[in-house]
Amino acid sequence: MEHERGRAPEGVADVGRTERELREALETLAGGVRAAPDAYRTARGEWLRRERRRRLVLAVLIAVVFTLATLIGLWVLNQAPADPGVIFSGAGSAIAPGGAVIGPG
């Protein structure tokens, strides 16, 4: 199995030929591909529409959460008892330190 000088072994030559043929086939295939003239504009328009929709959905979601929080807060405040508390009674007399009664009474 002596190889001639300057020639690659048979298996190596096949690999080189296969690579060359594959490269030529891919170059031919790639040369035939033509992009649509407005492909970039179309893709960018779709991306901008998705971005606008995402922002709109986020804004609506924030508005809904804010409105619900406000309504729940108002409902909770409305559930407070109607009778005045001890702090805000305003009627009656106050007791000063030392036991002296201040005010009407």
Side-chain angles (χ1 to χ4, degrees):
M1 288 217 130
E2 246 178 75
H3 299 291
E4 295 179 22
R5 210 173 259 264
R7 289 184 52 138
E10 202 170 306
V12 175
D14 288 344
V15 171
R17 190 177 113 226
T18 303
E19 288 179 1
R20 187 182 69 250
E21 288 176 354
L22 183 59
R23 185 178 305 112
E24 289 172 0
L26 290 175
E27 286 174 357
T28 303
L29 181 65
V33 174
R34 298 283 180 244
D38 61 342
Y40 174 76
R41 190 177 321 135
T42 303
R44 186 171 186 270
E46 290 175 8
W47 182 82
L48 288 174
R49 271 193 299 279
R50 284 194 308 266
E51 182 70 20
R52 268 182 269 152
R53 182 178 176 143
R54 184 172 52 218
R55 288 182 184 199
L56 179 64
V57 167
L58 183 63
V60 168
L61 183 64
I62 289 171
V64 167
V65 169
F66 180 78
T67 303
L68 282 175
T70 303
L71 291 175
I72 290 171
L74 290 173
W75 179 77
V76 167
L77 288 174
N78 195 33
Q79 297 302 313
D83 59 330
V86 175
I87 296 174
F88 301 110
S89 65
S93 56
I95 301 176
V101 176
I102 303 173

